[in-house]
Amino acid sequence: MKGVAVELGVKDPSVRRTGVNRGVAVIDFILRIIAITATLASAIAMGTTDETLPFFTQFIRFRAKYDDLPMFTFFVVANSIASAYLVLSLALSIFHIIKSGAQNSRVVLIFFDAGMLALVSAGASAAAAIVYLAHKGNTRTNWFAICQQFNSFCERISGSLIGSFVAMVVLILLILLSAAALSRRY
Amino acid sequence: MKGVAVELGVKDPSVRRTGVNRGVAVIDFILRIIAITATLASAIAMGTTDETLPFFTQFIRFRAKYDDLPMFTFFVVANSIASAYLVLSLALSIFHIIKSGAQNSRVVLIFFDAGMLALVSAGASAAAAIVYLAHKGNTRTNWFAICQQFNSFCERISGSLIGSFVAMVVLILLILLSAAALSRRY
């Protein structure tokens, strides 16, 4: 009877929890792949934005490139760093699928995920602020909208924000998943 | 001898870990107070920014207010929300000081802390992008620096960013602390 009690009381839930944590680790892995795609797409879409208008004067060709504005450069850099980090973090994610009882590595992941969340949000938000100005302008400061002239440039920079915002949501979910996995451990 | 073994092997580390987790909970509480102060200071400093220039024409008074730019309004709103959330989270923080073995409440805290981290970063970064433009302008888009005219306005909006960036760092630390507390639990 003692043996049965031990089996029911200790071994069984432990096995169940390991199974759940393995499932969480697999979801973690998939979410990281999504986040890598999203940040990489954002960085590439923004980093290749370059529009030259078909008309020009004797001295000036009208051209808009993403690095005319430092916030867009920051956006590309932030998304590239986040993407590189996420690729590296896949190694730990696979480690968690194999060894689902791991704890310290999860704490490390939560910390860096939080850092990357702050970085990606900052990049996305700085770029979004400029995209807003480019579309609407601001009369009080005499900053005029430039999207009338640079149409495809504006479409491109607006579109490239999407990936970053997707990555923000995914990173918050990743932090939640790691925290849930930590709390489920024996 | 069996009793001694139980005391050494099970009870003692558990008591020690409870003590460490209580210490972590106290640090968590203090960090939250700091974050509340920082976000509240940012929101108030930005929200009360208003400069009227001493000269005016017949029709126009030159005036700069924070809500001339929607990004500054967002900054104030984001910091106010974060501040309100942090005040509410103090309740859970105190609960963790009393009951340091709690786990689900810590997962909830990590999730919302991550959300607030994204919100505060977004607000700080959008405002920083505009502060940068106000100081430096941008020749490619013909957005001129406005800080030559609105001197004290510019100083105020620059200064109010500090609190937000402090809050970002504190929130990352809070997430790390909660994760560490979760991993230390038996």
Side-chain angles (χ1 to χ4, degrees), chain A:
Chain A
M1 275 312 277
K2 208 186 160 195
V4 173
V6 166
E7 255 181 47
L8 287 178
V10 181
K11 230 180 165 183
D12 208 24
S14 152
V15 168
R16 191 173 55 76
R17 287 187 181 214
T18 305
V20 171
N21 267 5
R22 183 152 297 152
V24 166
V26 171
I27 296 171
D28 181 281
F29 185 80
I30 295 167
L31 283 179
R32 275 173 208 281
I33 300 277
I34 294 172
I36 291 168
T37 318
T39 50
L40 207 62
S42 273
I44 292 173
M46 182 66 87
T48 54
T49 303
D50 186 358
E51 188 185 9
T52 309
L53 293 189
F55 51 89
F56 46 88
T57 68
Q58 199 173 358
F59 303 107
I60 307 170
R61 286 178 71 206
F62 296 99
R63 189 175 175 193
K65 213 164 163 261
Y66 80 98
D67 61 2
D68 288 342
L69 286 148
M71 299 79 177
F72 290 154
T73 313
F74 174 58
F75 178 84
V76 173
V77 172
N79 276 293
S80 305
I81 292 176
S83 189
Y85 157 77
L86 284 164
V87 169
L88 291 179
S89 76
L90 283 181
L92 270 183
S93 191
I94 292 170
F95 172 70
H96 289 151
I97 296 177
I98 300 165
K99 194 166 175 300
S100 53
Q103 41 174 323
N104 290 337
S105 52
R106 279 190 210 273
V107 176
V108 171
L109 265 192
I110 287 183
F111 177 63
F112 283 107
D113 283 352
M116 286 301 142
L117 173 62
L119 184 69
V120 171
S121 315
S125 177
I130 302 304
V131 167
Y132 179 88
L133 273 185
H135 276 284
K136 301 260 179 185
N138 187 283
T139 49
R140 301 301 297 266
T141 53
N142 278 325
W143 294 337
F144 299 109
I146 57 164
C147 283
Q148 278 96 31
Q149 291 98 57
F150 296 101
N151 231 317
S152 89
F153 175 76
C154 270
E155 269 171 30
R156 191 69 169 276
I157 56 176
S158 314
S160 64
L161 294 181
I162 298 170
S164 248
F165 284 106
V166 169
M168 274 170 67
V169 174
V170 171
L171 278 169
I172 294 179
L173 286 180
L174 281 173
I175 292 172
L176 177 63
L177 274 185
S178 296
L182 273 178
S183 80
R184 272 181 162 277
R185 195 181 46 80
Y186 256 172

Side-chain angles (χ1 to χ4, degrees), chain B residues 77-115:
Chain B
V77 171
N79 276 293
S80 306
I81 292 175
S83 188
Y85 158 76
L86 284 164
V87 170
L88 291 179
S89 76
L90 283 181
L92 270 183
S93 191
I94 292 169
F95 171 70
H96 289 152
I97 296 177
I98 300 165
K99 193 165 175 300
S100 53
Q103 41 172 324
N104 290 335
S105 52
R106 280 190 211 272
V107 176
V108 171
L109 265 193
I110 287 184
F111 178 64
F112 282 107
D113 283 352

Side-chain angles (χ1 to χ4, degrees), chain B residues 2 30 47 49 73 88 101 113-116 121 138 147 164 174 177:
Chain B
K2 208 185 159 196
I30 295 167
T49 303
T73 313
L88 291 179
D113 283 352
M116 287 301 141
S121 317
N138 185 283
C147 283
S164 247
L174 281 173
L177 274 184

Side-chain angles (χ1 to χ4, degrees), chain B residues 83-166:
Chain B
S83 188
Y85 158 76
L86 284 164
V87 170
L88 291 179
S89 76
L90 283 181
L92 270 183
S93 191
I94 292 169
F95 171 70
H96 289 152
I97 296 177
I98 300 165
K99 193 165 175 300
S100 53
Q103 41 172 324
N104 290 335
S105 52
R106 280 190 211 272
V107 176
V108 171
L109 265 193
I110 287 184
F111 178 64
F112 282 107
D113 283 352
M116 287 301 141
L117 173 63
L119 185 69
V120 171
S121 317
S125 176
I130 302 303
V131 166
Y132 179 89
L133 273 185
H135 276 283
K136 301 260 177 184
N138 185 283
T139 49
R140 301 302 297 265
T141 53
N142 278 324
W143 294 338
F144 298 109
I146 58 165
C147 283
Q148 276 97 31
Q149 292 99 57
F150 296 102
N151 232 317
S152 89
F153 175 75
C154 268
E155 270 171 30
R156 191 68 169 276
I157 57 175
S158 314
S160 65
L161 295 181
I162 298 170
S164 247
F165 283 107
V166 169

